[in-house]
Amino acid sequence: MRILYAEDEEALASAVTKILMKSNYSVDTVYDGVEALEYLENDVYDAVILDIMMPRLDGISVLKKLRAKGNLVPVLMLTAKGEVDDKVLGLDCGANDYLSKPF
């Protein structure tokens, strides 16, 4: 299974990527929303993990652009934004699930 993981906190990104790879997932890790979109436009993934608060383009915008193009890849929002309104927005924009940090 191939996963794209977009997270701007490098230490967290490194730890989660190592855990996923140890579980036999293939993971591409990017550090901002623009990179995430570029990877999604140029490759096929089985799942995407998106942070919301990223530089250059936030995760909600990435998700909206992804869904607008008809890409139905499963998306998990993994973010520090844990208010009910944040979760509703993420799910309404097309996320398949929403997990708040710390997890």
Side-chain angles (χ1 to χ4, degrees):
M1 178 178 241
R2 197 147 180 243
I3 298 173
L4 177 65
Y5 179 36
E7 168 63 61
D8 65 323
E9 295 180 37
E10 291 189 27
L12 178 60
S14 177
V16 171
T17 297
K18 285 178 185 174
I19 291 167
L20 291 169
M21 292 176 78
K22 189 169 182 161
S23 297
N24 295 318
Y25 293 102
S26 173
V27 183
D28 289 331
T29 305
V30 296
Y31 302 98
D32 67 61
V34 172
E35 274 188 301
L37 275 180
E38 289 171 355
Y39 273 65
L40 288 163
E41 289 172 359
N42 294 313
D43 234 324
V44 177
Y45 292 92
D46 299 300
V48 178
I49 302 171
L50 286 176
D51 185 14
I52 290 179
M53 297 179 291
M54 293 186 291
R56 301 199 317 164
L57 189 66
D58 66 89
I60 293 293
S61 297
V62 172
L63 178 59
K64 286 179 179 178
K65 290 177 183 286
L66 186 65
R67 296 303 189 230
K69 292 180 180 183
N71 190 328
L72 299 177
V73 62
V75 174
L76 168 66
M77 303 303 293
L78 180 61
T79 180
K81 295 183 69 100
E83 298 296 320
V84 172
D85 290 344
D86 298 318
K87 293 177 183 180
V88 169
L89 176 62
L91 294 169
D92 282 350
C93 288
N96 297 84
D97 208 346
Y98 195 106
L99 182 62
S100 298
K101 298 175 193 172
F103 53 95

